């Protein structure tokens, strides 16, 4: 049994302009000790998936279909009391902005102590000692337990939030763009720390980012989202080496370091589909240089490609898309060369 199992998840937001299908029929799982990265452009539904798992969707958002289980226990129908018991203890959250997640009124240490004592019968002194250990583990001075969020730099606050997320050694940590707001060097340090801590605790990670190099560095498996759908998923060494979806290929070619730069840099101009009224066929059709007439008529299902890789593309089911890459990119004016 997987630690986290998401199957056929549908999520909608109600808006004045009508409902938005932010997530459509998304399925994936995360095993114990595994790191899963979810990538895709802004607005493709990544955070909505995280909020659905954590049951933190805003009032206008709702899960309209599918299942989410943690250790076999249903999260979708779970009541608030049970949810509060598993939050922090079994599943914790690192968000993009520590400023929103941390309470400005209390010191870092106080917030960690509260999190620990809500779930465990521990003395104030013991919890405070543990808070200081945690703060040290994420690379801050122990004395920082007494600091308030506004007394810390952005990087330090992010570290404090990681300390809090780890406080109860949860089996699953969800991190939504945990380093996006930081400079590259701090970003690298924090990712390294997350890596070391996960190894120490044996926790699993679900990390969301628009930066595939972050996934390449930290994860075992990846999911690629486009327009509310999961278009490709599988082990990193499969998906990033032999992508089966043109969108994944496009993402990879926009990041030459992973591929050693042997291919031309391309960008994928154009807009993702309108989620108020998504197209009938493949959602990537408008931006896909491999497109064929059938792609506009029918939506390609996510199919097995071997070794746990799955992709939703008619063309790559028949031939490896990389083989035709040069041809296609030269012929179709859809992707731009840099
Ligand atoms: N509270 C909300 N109300 C209405 N639409 C929303 C809300 N939050 C997100 N959306 C829409 O849902 C889609 C997915 O958003 P999101 O999950 O935040 O994407 P990502 O995290 O990949 O950038 C987007 O089209 C976004 O505009
Ligand atoms: S199904 Fe067609 S349009 Fe969609 S990604 Fe594959 S080739 Fe492109
Ligand atoms: Mg997001």
């Amino acid at each position: 049994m997987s630690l986290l199992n998401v199957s056929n998840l549908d999520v909608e937001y109600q808006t004045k302009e009508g409902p938005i299908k932010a997530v459509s029929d998304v399925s994936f799982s995360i095993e114990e000790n595994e790191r899963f990265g979810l990538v895709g452009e802004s607005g493709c539904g990544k955070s909505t998936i995280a909020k659905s798992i954590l049951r933190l969707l805003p009032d206008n958002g709702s899960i309209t279909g599918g299942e989410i289980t943690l250790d076999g226990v249903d999260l979708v129908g779970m009541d608030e009391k049970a949810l509060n018991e598993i939050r922090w203890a079994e599943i914790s959250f690192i968000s993009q902005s520590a400023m929103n997640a941390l309470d400005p009124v209390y010191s870092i240490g106080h917030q960690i102590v509260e999190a620990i004592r809500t779930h465990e019968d521990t003395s104030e002194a013991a919890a405070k000692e543990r808070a200081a250990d945690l703060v040290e583990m994420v690379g801050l001075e122990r004395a920082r337990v007494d600091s308030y969020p506004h007394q810390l730099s952005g990087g330090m606050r992010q570290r404090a939030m990681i300390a809090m997320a780890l406080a109860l050694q949860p089996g699953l940590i969800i991190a939504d763009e945990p380093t996006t707001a930081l400079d590259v060097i701090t970003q690298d340090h924090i990712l390294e720390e997350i890596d070391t801590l996960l190894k120490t605790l044996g926790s699993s990670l679900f990390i969301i980012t628009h930066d595939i190099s972050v996934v390449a560095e930290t994860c075992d498996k990846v999911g690629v989202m486009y327009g509310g759908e999961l278009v490709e998923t599988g082990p990193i060494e499969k998906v990033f080496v032999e992508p089966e979806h043109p969108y994944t290929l496009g993402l990879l070619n926009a990041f030459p370091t992973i591929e050693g730069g042997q291919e031309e840099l391309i960008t994928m101009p154009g807009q993702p589909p309108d989620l108020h009224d998504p197209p009938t066929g493949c959602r990537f059709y408008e931006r896909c240089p491999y497109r064929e007439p059938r792609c506009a008529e029918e939506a390609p299902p996510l199919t097995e490609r071997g070794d746990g890789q799955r992709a939703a593309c008619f063309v790559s089911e028949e031939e490896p898309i990389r083989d035709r890459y040069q041809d296609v990119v030269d012929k179709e004016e859809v992707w731009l060369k840099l």
Side-chain angles (χ1 to χ4, degrees), residues 95-283:
S95 71
Q96 180 171 351
S97 163
M99 217 44 195
N100 300 335
L102 296 169
D103 193 330
V105 185
Y106 297 106
S107 69
I108 300 302
H110 179 88
Q111 296 184 51
I112 299 177
V113 167
E114 281 299 295
I116 294 173
R117 297 193 71 206
T118 309
H119 292 275
E120 285 177 21
D121 188 14
T122 313
S123 73
E124 175 102 32
K128 184 136 191 222
E129 192 59 25
R130 231 164 87 197
D133 290 344
L134 283 159
V135 161
E136 202 173 15
M137 252 164 75
V138 296
L140 299 174
E141 286 164 37
R142 289 180 82 80
R144 285 296 182 186
V145 284
D146 295 319
S147 297
Y148 287 81
H150 73 268
Q151 295 174 315
L152 305 176
S153 69
M156 288 162 113
R157 277 199 294 270
Q158 209 61 16
R159 283 169 197 229
M161 188 166 51
I162 293 168
M164 202 153 134
L166 297 173
L168 293 148
Q169 312 202 341
L172 179 67
I173 294 162
I174 297 184
D176 189 355
E177 310 266 7
T179 57
T180 303
L182 307 171
D183 65 84
V184 179
I185 302 200
T186 314
Q187 180 169 339
D188 274 355
H189 284 161
I190 290 190
L191 288 174
E192 269 167 37
E193 250 133 40
I194 293 181
D195 188 64
T196 314
L197 294 165
L198 288 174
K199 282 192 187 119
T200 316
L201 300 177
S203 305
S204 300
L205 177 70
F206 176 44
I207 185 169
I208 290 174
T209 171
H210 61 269
D211 181 349
I212 59 167
S213 63
V214 168
V215 173
E217 274 166 45
T218 27
C219 297
D220 311 302
K221 273 197 323 204
V222 61
V224 181
M225 299 257 319
Y226 187 79
E229 294 179 331
L230 190 69
V231 295
E232 179 156 16
T233 183
I236 297 288
E237 64 277 11
K238 288 283 292 176
V239 175
F240 284 179
V241 178
E242 285 299 330
E244 293 270 338
H245 197 283
Y247 179 63
T248 314
L249 187 64
L251 285 178
L252 288 168
N253 282 310
F255 293 86
T257 45
I258 289 172
E259 287 294 300
Q262 74 268 47
E263 272 156 358
E264 294 173 287
L265 273 181
I266 54 104
T267 56
M268 294 180 276
Q271 295 298 315
D274 176 6
L275 295 177
H276 283 295
D277 185 20
T280 331
C282 176
R283 293 189 181 180

Side-chain angles (χ1 to χ4, degrees), residues 11-16 18 20-23 38-51 57-61 96 176-177 208-210 225 228 273-276:
V11 186
E12 279 185 20
Y13 292 109
Q14 300 306 321
T15 72
K16 280 194 220 100
I20 290 186
K21 269 201 110 182
V23 172
L38 195 63
V39 293
E41 287 161 301
S42 177
C44 68
K46 304 182 298 298
S47 296
T48 301
I49 292 180
K51 288 176 193 159
L57 285 169
D59 289 344
N60 67 330
Q96 180 171 351
D176 189 355
E177 310 266 7
I208 290 174
T209 171
H210 61 269
M225 299 257 319
D274 176 6
L275 295 177
H276 283 295

